[in-house]
Amino acid sequence: MLQQQLSRLLAQTDIALTEHQQNQLVSYVELLNKWNKAYNLTSVRDPNEMMVKHIMDSLVVAQHLKGSNYIDVGTGPGLPGIVLAIALPDVNFVLLDSLGKRVRFLTQVKHALDLKNVTPVQSRVEEYQPSVKLDGVLSRAFASLQDMVDWCQHLIDDSGFFLALKGQFPVEELSGLPTGVTMVQDIELSVPELGAERHLVILAKNQ
């Protein structure tokens, strides 16, 4: 059922995934649905809704990632990090969250799906120090752009990017960006069967 739904959704995009990757995404939704009953990881209760609101909503970002090392801050149950790690097996993702129950779930997902490119970490973002040079900081429904920049500046150098997944274009948030950071690109994302606006806002430190 979920497999057929995923195939239908993918057919509405130019995203190419192997059968193995599709199976991993279905398994992830099944794990999320199972753990959600006890751990309350997401307000979306229906696995079919998860496929659109979580999986496809994250997948559409994959083609816009350059580089090989990213951190997903405030990842929650692994969104978008787990989905992107499945879609981009050659890219490494640190999945950062301050709540132990979420990190336990992410660790379970990593083992169950054999994801070698995922590192779940329990930490506050302000206290985390990356062990490798990061190409970008990802955030989905984590914080305002101002807070994201304030809390995550130390994670990237001048060549890295902040990538924020947003609903409506965040006009007010952009007007309040701290000095030294500017928007370099706004990408309007098309999520099949979502029926809502989606943007990927990319920020960079001024050179």
Side-chain angles (χ1 to χ4, degrees):
M1 182 80 169
L2 288 173
Q3 192 82 46
Q4 291 168 331
Q5 185 192 13
L6 179 58
S7 296
R8 187 186 75 242
L9 290 165
L10 286 171
Q12 299 172 56
T13 73
D14 54 4
I15 299 167
L17 296 179
T18 64
E19 187 179 343
H20 176 62
Q21 287 170 310
Q22 292 183 45
N23 289 339
Q24 284 179 310
L25 289 170
V26 169
S27 296
Y28 171 57
V29 169
E30 289 170 348
L31 281 167
L32 182 54
N33 183 48
K34 179 182 167 187
W35 278 60
N36 202 36
K37 292 177 172 69
Y39 281 77
N40 199 26
L41 298 167
T42 169
S43 59
V44 180
R45 299 288 173 197
D46 179 352
N48 294 296
E49 268 191 75
M50 288 179 188
M51 199 58 85
V52 174
K53 291 182 175 176
H54 290 335
I55 303 304
M56 297 309 299
D57 195 47
S58 299
L59 263 186
V60 292
V61 175
Q63 63 183 309
H64 303 294
L65 299 192
K66 314 272 191 292
S68 54
N69 289 290
Y70 283 84
I71 183 167
D72 179 11
V73 294
T75 185
L79 299 162
I82 288 285
V83 178
L84 293 172
I86 290 170
L88 303 167
D90 296 328
V91 180
N92 297 306
F93 292 88
V94 172
L95 307 182
L96 192 77
D97 204 277
S98 59
L99 274 187
K101 66 178 184 180
R102 293 176 186 154
V103 176
R104 282 193 293 278
F105 170 69
L106 295 170
T107 303
Q108 176 66 31
V109 170
K110 174 185 167 77
H111 292 308
L113 304 186
D114 195 25
L115 295 174
K116 304 277 198 290
N117 59 332
V118 160
T119 306
V121 174
Q122 183 179 352
S123 172
R124 292 174 58 82
V125 65
E126 307 94 303
E127 295 161 5
Y128 180 71
Q129 295 295 333
S131 57
V132 297
K133 182 178 176 297
L134 295 171
D135 297 295
V137 176
L138 287 158
S139 111
R140 177 183 186 264
F142 166 61
S144 69
L145 294 177
Q146 296 97 313
D147 286 344
M148 181 188 182
V149 169
D150 287 343
W151 296 338
C152 303
Q153 285 223 41
H154 66 287
L155 298 176
I156 54 171
D157 63 18
D158 291 345
S159 63
F161 294 95
F162 303 96
L163 299 98
L165 283 72
K166 292 287 182 181
Q168 294 180 317
F169 184 68
V171 179
E172 276 189 35
E173 290 181 27
L174 284 165
S175 67
L177 280 179
T179 314
V181 174
T182 50
M183 183 181 84
V184 291
Q185 197 175 6
D186 165 50
I187 300 167
E188 199 160 343
L189 302 168
S190 176
V191 183
E193 300 181 22
L194 184 64
E197 203 177 330
R198 285 290 183 270
H199 290 265
L200 177 63
V201 178
I202 304 177
L203 311 174
K205 297 178 182 180
N206 297 342
Q207 298 295 320

